[in-house]
Amino acid sequence: MAVGDELPPLRIPVTRTLIVAGALASRDYQDVHHDPEAARAKGSPDIFMNILTTNGLVGRYVTDHFGPFARLRGVAIRLGAPNRPGDTMTLTGTVVALDGDTAQVRVVGANTIGHHVTGTVTVTLAEGERR
């Protein structure tokens, strides 16, 4: 592993089920995450993914790449374009810093209308698990 290494892209279909299940699993009962009529009444064309679901998908992307012994030490993300049903979010990542067994990965998740999520993930790798 070296600074500049790119993680393979991960394409995630953004389904209505993923959005609603993620909101429920994270105990986010805001109606814009499960009720299309309420979302439209509040100015959105449809329901959209919550930040906690996005955070989990970003963490999964990094730990799936670095293996079962990888430990997330920090996830700092910002949301942009909403993830709505029927779209696909493609996550990409680049190693931007290394310090011993700790890597910092710049992550971007894009959909058809722009960047849904941008941020940095700090991950510690177990000895012998560096890729």
Side-chain angles (χ1 to χ4, degrees):
M1 176 175 48
V3 171
D5 283 357
E6 294 184 3
L7 283 63
L10 175 64
R11 288 169 184 77
I12 300 172
V14 181
T15 64
R16 196 167 295 281
T17 300
L18 175 62
I19 293 169
V20 173
L24 291 174
S26 60
R27 301 176 63 148
D28 183 346
Y29 304 119
Q30 290 292 315
D31 54 10
V32 295
H33 302 307
H34 67 269
D35 183 339
E37 292 303 319
R40 281 191 278 281
K42 293 179 180 176
S44 180
D46 205 340
I47 65 171
F48 53 91
M49 186 176 286
N50 73 352
I51 192 169
L52 296 170
T53 302
T54 300
N55 193 65
L57 293 170
V58 166
R60 169 192 152 202
Y61 173 59
V62 172
T63 57
D64 280 0
H65 175 74
F66 287 105
F69 298 103
R71 298 292 175 252
L72 294 176
R73 299 297 179 203
V75 178
I77 61 172
R78 293 182 67 115
L79 292 184
N83 267 342
R84 294 190 186 111
D87 208 341
T88 298
M89 177 176 63
T90 301
L91 289 166
T92 56
T94 304
V95 177
V96 294
L98 291 172
D99 183 11
D101 63 353
T102 300
Q104 194 172 61
V105 181
R106 173 87 173 137
V107 175
V108 174
N111 59 35
T112 58
I113 57 175
H115 287 173
H116 169 67
V117 62
T118 56
T120 304
V121 176
T122 304
V123 60
T124 300
L125 311 173
E127 194 64 35
E129 290 295 320
R130 298 182 86 176
R131 289 189 178 193

